[in-house]
Amino acid sequence: MERKKIIQHNYFKLILIAALIGAISCLLAFSLKHFTEYLEHSIFTAAAGISNMLFIVLPTIGITAIYFLRKYLFQNRKNKGITEIYKTLDLRKEHLPFFKIPSHYLNGFLTVIFGGSTGVEVSTVVATATIGNMGYKREFSAKIYKTELVCAGVTAGVAVLFASPLAGWLFAMEVIARKLNKSLAISCTASAVVAAVFIYFFDHSSLLSFAIGEWHWQALPFFILLGLLGGTLSVYFTLLVTRIKSLFAKIQNNFIRVNMGALVVGTMIMFYPALYGDSYHGLETILDAAVSEESISLMLLLMLALLKPLAASLTLGAGGDGGVFAPGIVAGAFLGLLFSAVCNQYFGTHLVPLNFALVGAAATLSSAIFAPLTALVLVCNLVPNGYQLLIPVTVGCFTSKFFSQKLLPYNAYTYDFYKMSKAG
C-alpha cells in the first residue's frame, strides 16, 4: 500500500511538472512561429518589391549572423539537431545545456527569415526538449522521468506549431521516445492538454485555408503509387542531407563554407522564389492556382519538388538551423501536384490536385521522419477538414514508410545519430 502511494505521488508530481513544461514550451513555440512568420513574409515581400537579385545574398546574411552568434555568444558550441536529444536520452548522464534554448531559437529564426530553405520545427523541438531537460535537472519529479519530461516539452512545441495536440503527442512517442509506456503517456498527455487549451484560445487556425472535397475509391491505386514516389523522394532528401553535411564538414575555411552553401541557395531562390524560407507561402500560392484550375508548369513543379530538398540540405550544410520537417511537407506537396497534373494531362484522369498535394506531403514526411502516424495526423490538420482524406493519407504514409525502409534503412533523423554512435 505504501509503495502504491509513493507511485501515485510521483505520478501526480509528474503531471504537474509536465503541464508546467508544456505551458512554457507553448509560449516558446508560439513566439518563434509567429515572429518568424511575420518577418519572413515582410523581408520576402520587401526584397521581391525591389529586385529578385536580393534573394542571392539574403541567406548569407542569416547564416553569417548565426556563425558569429555561435562563435562569440555561444562559445563555438554547435547545434546538431534532434541527434542531441537522442544522445541525452540514451546516455543518462548527458544533458541538454540551457544555451540550447536561445541558440536554437535564434538560429532557427535567423535561418528562415532570411530565406534559408528549412523551417523552425527542429529548432522548436530541440529548444522545448531542453526545457523538459531543465525540469528534470531541477528534480521537480522522480529522477526516473527524464524521457517523460523531455517528451512533454516536445509534445507542446510541435502541437502549437501545427495546431494539433495529437500530432505533438504522436511525434514525441514515435520520433523522440521511440516507445510507449504509462509514465510517458501521462506526461505527454498532460502537456498535450495544456497545449490544447493554449491552441484553443490563441492559435487554432490551420496552416492552409483550402477545403477538401470528396475523393473516390477508384483513385486508391494512384495514392499507392504516390506513396511509393513519396518514399523515393524522402530517400533522395536523406542522402542529400547526409552527403552534403559530410562534404561541408570537410571545408576548414568558415567563410567559404558559409557563403558557398548560402549563395547557391540564394541563387536558387532568385529563380524559384517559392523556395524562400520554409516555403509555406510559396506552397499556398501554387495550391491556390491549382484549386482555381489555373495552368501550372509541370517543369516548375518538378524543379520545386527536387530543389526544395537540395536547398534545405545546402542551408543545413552551410550552418543554418533546421531539419527535414517543412522541406519534407513542401517537397511532397509539390510532388503530389506534379503527379496529379501528369496523370490528368497525359492519361485522361480527373485527379483532384489538392488531395494529391496533401497525400504527397504526408507520404514524404512519413518516411523522412519515420513516423507515419505523426505525418498522418499532422497533414490532416494542415487544412480545416483534412480528415476527409484520412484513408488516402493513411495509405500514402504507410506505403511510403515501408518502401523507404527497403530503399534506405535509416531516415534523416536517425541516420546521423547512427553514424555518430558508430564513430563513438
Side-chain angles (χ1 to χ4, degrees):
M1 182 63 70
E2 186 65 28
R3 183 175 181 274
K4 185 176 181 180
K5 287 184 178 179
I6 293 173
I7 293 173
Q8 290 177 341
H9 178 68
N10 284 337
Y11 280 157
F12 179 71
K13 290 174 66 177
L14 176 62
I15 291 171
L16 290 181
I17 187 58
L20 177 60
I21 288 169
I24 298 171
S25 297
C26 284
L27 292 172
L28 183 145
F30 179 83
S31 63
L32 180 55
K33 174 183 176 181
H34 288 283
F35 286 156
T36 302
E37 186 179 85
Y38 175 76
L39 280 175
E40 178 190 8
H41 179 72
S42 299
I43 294 172
F44 175 85
T45 304
I50 299 172
S51 170
N52 275 18
M53 294 288 288
L54 284 175
F55 290 137
I56 296 176
V57 298
L58 284 177
T60 298
I61 295 172
I63 297 177
T64 300
I66 290 171
Y67 168 74
F68 283 113
L69 280 174
R70 181 180 299 138
K71 183 175 181 179
Y72 295 108
L73 182 60
F74 301 119
Q75 301 173 343
N76 280 322
R77 292 177 290 184
K78 295 182 178 181
N79 292 330
K80 296 180 180 179
I82 287 185
T83 58
E84 300 170 288
I85 304 176
Y86 291 155
K87 185 177 179 181
T88 195
L89 293 181
D90 290 352
L91 305 174
R92 303 295 298 181
K93 293 183 179 179
E94 292 282 342
H95 292 288
L96 293 166
F98 179 80
F99 89 90
K100 292 292 179 184
I101 298 174
S103 176
H104 277 283
Y105 190 104
L106 292 173
N107 291 357
F109 172 75
L110 289 169
T111 297
V112 176
I113 67 169
F114 286 108
S117 205
T118 60
V120 298
E121 292 85 2
V122 170
S123 303
T124 303
V125 166
V126 181
T128 52
T130 305
I131 292 172
N133 200 156
M134 291 298 105
Y136 171 80
K137 287 177 69 177
R138 291 285 184 177
E139 300 186 18
F140 289 131
S141 65
K143 294 290 285 183
I144 59 173
Y145 292 141
K146 183 177 183 179
T147 301
E148 285 78 358
L149 297 183
V150 166
C151 287
V154 171
T155 296
V158 174
V160 169
L161 287 181
F162 293 98
S164 173
L166 180 56
W169 194 94
L170 288 169
F171 180 83
M173 296 298 178
E174 281 191 297
V175 179
I176 304 301
R178 295 161 289 170
K179 61 183 179 182
L180 175 61
N181 57 40
K182 184 177 180 180
S183 56
L184 272 169
I186 288 172
S187 64
C188 291
T189 301
S191 180
V193 168
V194 170
V197 173
F198 186 93
I199 290 166
Y200 178 81
F201 285 104
F202 297 106
D203 196 16
H204 58 271
S205 59
S206 301
L207 184 66
L208 303 172
S209 57
F210 306 99
I212 295 296
E214 60 179 352
W215 69 276
H216 300 283
W217 285 96
Q218 295 92 321
L220 206 55
F222 294 95
F223 289 124
I224 293 172
L225 182 55
L226 180 56
L228 298 176
L229 293 174
T232 305
L233 181 62
S234 75
V235 169
Y236 160 73
F237 192 4
T238 297
L239 293 174
L240 279 177
V241 170
T242 55
R243 302 292 163 78
I244 290 178
K245 275 189 172 184
S246 177
L247 177 65
F248 275 68
K250 297 175 184 177
I251 301 174
Q252 299 299 316
N253 187 300
N254 292 317
F255 179 83
I256 294 176
R257 183 176 66 251
V258 168
N259 286 281
M260 181 187 294
L263 288 173
V264 173
V265 171
T267 303
M268 293 163 64
I269 293 171
M270 181 184 69
F271 290 105
Y272 300 98
L275 297 174
Y276 191 95
D278 54 32
S279 293
Y280 291 140
H281 66 288
L283 174 60
E284 185 159 20
T285 299
I286 292 175
L287 278 175
D288 188 50
V291 170
S292 303
E293 298 185 354
E294 297 178 21
S295 178
I296 304 174
S297 166
L298 297 182
M299 182 56 67
L300 172 64
L301 293 174
L302 175 63
M303 294 304 293
L304 290 174
L306 294 177
L307 290 179
K308 183 61 184 181
L310 177 59
S313 302
L314 288 167
T315 299
L316 297 174
D321 211 57
V324 302
F325 230 110
I329 292 172
V330 171
F334 287 138
L335 175 68
L337 286 174
L338 174 64
F339 178 80
S340 63
V342 168
C343 290
N344 290 343
Q345 185 169 327
Y346 293 103
F347 301 102
T349 58
H350 300 281
L351 306 181
V352 181
L354 179 58
N355 293 356
F356 279 81
L358 291 177
V359 173
T364 306
L365 180 63
S366 170
S367 48
I369 65 175
F370 216 61
L373 294 177
T374 299
L376 189 162
V377 172
L378 191 152
V379 169
C380 284
N381 277 278
L382 291 181
V383 293
N385 62 336
Y387 282 97
Q388 289 194 29
L389 283 179
L390 179 64
I391 293 175
V393 170
T394 302
V395 168
C397 284
F398 282 93
T399 301
S400 172
K401 184 246 186 180
F402 290 122
F403 185 62
S404 65
Q405 267 185 301
K406 299 296 183 182
L407 295 176
L408 186 69
Y410 302 99
N411 59 76
Y413 281 108
T414 61
Y415 187 69
D416 282 339
F417 181 69
Y418 172 79
K419 290 202 304 181
M420 180 183 69
S421 65
K422 288 295 184 183

